[in-house]
Amino acid sequence: MKKVLTIIMLFVAVCVEAQIRGTNITVTITPDHKDWTYKTGENIGFIISVMKSGTLLDDVKVSYEMGPDMYPDTKKEITLKTGTAKITGKMQVPGFYKLKATAHVGGKDYQAHCIAAVSPEKIQPQAQCPKDFDEFWANAIKEARNTALEPHMEYLPERSSADVSTYHVSFHNDRWGRRVYGILNVPAKAGKYPAILKVPGAGVRPYGGDEGLCKKGVIVLEIGIHGIPVIKDQLYYDNLFSAALADYWLNGCNNRDRSYYKHVVTGCIRSIDFLEAFGNGDAVQWDGKNLGVCGSSQGGFLTLATTALDKRVSCYAPVHAAMCDHEAALKKVACGWPHLFYQVEKPDQAEVGCMRYYDGVNFAKRITVPGWYSFGYNDDVVAPTSMYATYNVAGGEKVISPYQQTGHFWYEEQYEEWFGFLLSKLKK
């Protein structure tokens, strides 16, 4: 009996430990404009509050820094007598202004930040575009298509249902042996359907496709970018990410032809080639005219690139798109991930020249179809400055839907709006 009780007590202890969530001390910062938006030269007011058990904590020491996003120019320490205070700043140029605060309580530090917009509709990118940008990409795609697709499809019964058939697929990219792998979801009922290409964020991981989205009457192809199967255990990808594919985004970043992203971008185009080929004579086919592309972070950049380079795309939706306005950092303006030139005194000019071919801004300018842009003001990975800079110069019909409080993630409502936009365009 004692042994049983001991096991039960250990089980309860483990369960209790697993329920640890958050901290009892919290720091919140909110702007005094409900839309988080100000005009140049206007006072930007931030309300900072430090709470314990949900109530304001008296006599809290707080250190903070504030200024243009990624470039704070003010550092101070204050004591919040009643646990809250208003801190103000201002910007004379369009951009985003950030307050980051650290509360010191009981020998521990608790942090929060808030980023407000300043005349964001006037933000302009710093990215320069090579004269042969279009020629370079046209040749890259042409060269990739010299390699036959040779598609392979493996039916996945465990991921299929009465409504959706799911396949693990692969096809050649830009040379023999280099393949693109992905998950294809197709409606089980015969017919012609619109399609969505989902392109991935940074990292190395397996993919599951999107059965729920497919049930809404669309073919869904979700791809990986590393030329490896996408249905293995997570440990397989973790090992690659810590070794062979560590920092892959830096590979070849000083040579436009050796950049890792060259074959990644052509792989996105070949994915559409696959969707088109898949429809030849099959019971389920892409309708050949309605195609959406979407992705977040790195996938946001790939969404912009694919849409700009392939006229078969009819709508697109990037969320907090990375790799936009790399050169902004050279002007001490907040730039996009991976922040190649951030705080670099003497940038490698070969890298600067190369990354102009891989800047989301230069792709966005060439887009002509409807697009939906979304991101968070509080994003520390993809600066909102780079997002507005990209949106402001993007071509075609476009809408912007910022979710100010989000960082480098999205809310449920944002996710629903994301795919709601695509479905509304694809099923007109």
Side-chain angles (χ1 to χ4, degrees), residues 171 180-183 196-203 205 207 213 220-225 248 264-272 275 291-307 313 316-319 321 410 418-419 422:
F171 42 88
V180 177
Y181 288 82
I183 300 295
I196 290 178
L197 173 63
K198 297 180 72 174
V199 288
R205 64 181 71 84
Y207 294 96
L213 186 58
V220 182
L221 175 59
E222 182 176 32
I223 63 168
I225 63 168
Y248 67 83
V264 172
V265 172
T266 59
C268 294
I269 304 302
R270 299 312 308 272
S271 298
I272 301 176
L275 284 171
L291 174 64
V293 181
C294 63
S296 65
S297 195
Q298 172 189 264
F301 161 73
L302 295 176
T303 296
L304 296 172
T306 305
T307 304
V313 178
Y316 69 109
V319 174
W410 54 82
W418 189 5
F419 288 100
L422 290 170

Side-chain angles (χ1 to χ4, degrees), residues 153 167 184-196 214 217-220 272 274-291:
M153 297 177 58
Y167 301 86
L184 178 70
N185 301 111
V186 298
K189 184 179 179 181
K192 294 184 176 181
Y193 296 89
I196 290 178
C214 184
V218 294
I219 295 170
V220 182
I272 301 176
F274 167 78
L275 284 171
E276 194 167 50
F278 167 77
N280 291 336
D282 290 313
V284 177
Q285 303 176 28
W286 171 42
D287 65 17
K289 59 181 180 180
N290 294 295
L291 174 64

Side-chain angles (χ1 to χ4, degrees), residues 23-346:
T23 60
N24 194 37
I25 306 296
T26 58
V27 182
T28 63
I29 307 174
T30 55
D32 62 0
H33 282 193
K34 289 184 178 181
D35 63 357
W36 295 48
T37 303
Y38 301 79
K39 296 179 180 179
T40 53
E42 181 180 7
N43 280 335
I44 305 165
F46 294 104
I47 309 300
I48 179 172
S49 301
V50 181
M51 291 176 282
K52 180 179 181 180
S53 300
T55 58
L56 293 172
L57 189 63
D58 294 340
D59 297 317
V60 182
K61 291 184 178 181
V62 173
S63 55
Y64 69 88
E65 61 180 33
M66 64 181 185
D69 188 18
M70 296 179 70
Y71 295 93
D73 55 18
T74 300
K75 293 185 178 183
K76 290 185 178 181
E77 293 186 358
I78 58 173
T79 298
L80 306 185
K81 293 295 184 181
T82 61
T84 187
K86 184 175 182 178
I87 299 173
T88 61
K90 66 175 59 177
M91 282 181 69
Q92 302 298 338
V93 296
F96 279 78
Y97 195 85
K98 178 178 180 179
L99 170 67
K100 180 180 178 181
T102 303
H104 311 287
V105 181
K108 294 184 178 181
D109 292 340
Y110 301 86
Q111 291 186 339
H113 73 264
C114 186
I115 307 176
V118 180
S119 299
E121 73 284 353
K122 296 180 180 179
I123 297 172
Q124 290 296 301
Q126 304 297 321
Q128 298 183 46
C129 187
K131 292 181 180 179
D132 64 346
F133 182 91
D134 296 306
E135 180 184 1
F136 170 77
W137 283 111
N139 287 338
I141 295 169
K142 182 180 178 180
E143 291 170 4
R145 285 177 171 154
N146 287 333
T147 302
L149 278 175
E150 296 185 9
H152 175 75
M153 297 177 58
E154 175 190 357
Y155 179 63
L156 301 176
E158 71 280 6
R159 299 194 188 188
S160 301
S161 66
D163 301 313
V164 176
S165 296
T166 302
Y167 301 86
H168 184 226
V169 303
S170 71
F171 42 88
H172 274 128
N173 184 354
D174 59 340
R175 69 185 187 203
W176 190 89
R178 176 150 36 190
R179 299 178 73 83
V180 177
Y181 288 82
I183 300 295
L184 178 70
N185 301 111
V186 298
K189 184 179 179 181
K192 294 184 176 181
Y193 296 89
I196 290 178
L197 173 63
K198 297 180 72 174
V199 288
V204 189
R205 64 181 71 84
Y207 294 96
D210 198 324
E211 181 182 355
L213 186 58
C214 184
K215 286 181 178 180
K216 297 182 183 295
V218 294
I219 295 170
V220 182
L221 175 59
E222 182 176 32
I223 63 168
I225 63 168
H226 301 299
I228 54 178
V230 296
I231 56 173
K232 293 188 176 294
D233 294 334
Q234 183 63 51
L235 181 60
Y236 172 83
Y237 304 99
D238 291 342
N239 288 337
L240 283 171
F241 198 26
S242 63
L245 292 175
D247 297 332
Y248 67 83
W249 48 84
L250 300 179
N251 289 354
C253 66
N254 61 355
N255 185 315
R256 68 179 189 176
D257 289 307
R258 294 182 178 274
S259 168
Y260 193 87
Y261 283 103
K262 183 179 181 182
H263 79 264
V264 172
V265 172
T266 59
C268 294
I269 304 302
R270 299 312 308 272
S271 298
I272 301 176
D273 292 347
F274 167 78
L275 284 171
E276 194 167 50
F278 167 77
N280 291 336
D282 290 313
V284 177
Q285 303 176 28
W286 171 42
D287 65 17
K289 59 181 180 180
N290 294 295
L291 174 64
V293 181
C294 63
S296 65
S297 195
Q298 172 189 264
F301 161 73
L302 295 176
T303 296
L304 296 172
T306 305
T307 304
L309 295 175
D310 200 315
K311 298 304 180 185
R312 292 171 294 184
V313 178
S314 58
C315 60
Y316 69 109
V319 174
H320 44 246
M323 299 180 65
C324 291
D325 213 13
H326 298 293
E327 292 179 78
L330 301 180
K331 304 289 186 179
K332 296 192 180 301
V333 175
C335 60
W337 180 90
H339 315 139
L340 287 173
F341 310 120
Y342 179 55
Q343 293 185 336
V344 176
E345 293 185 7
K346 296 182 179 180

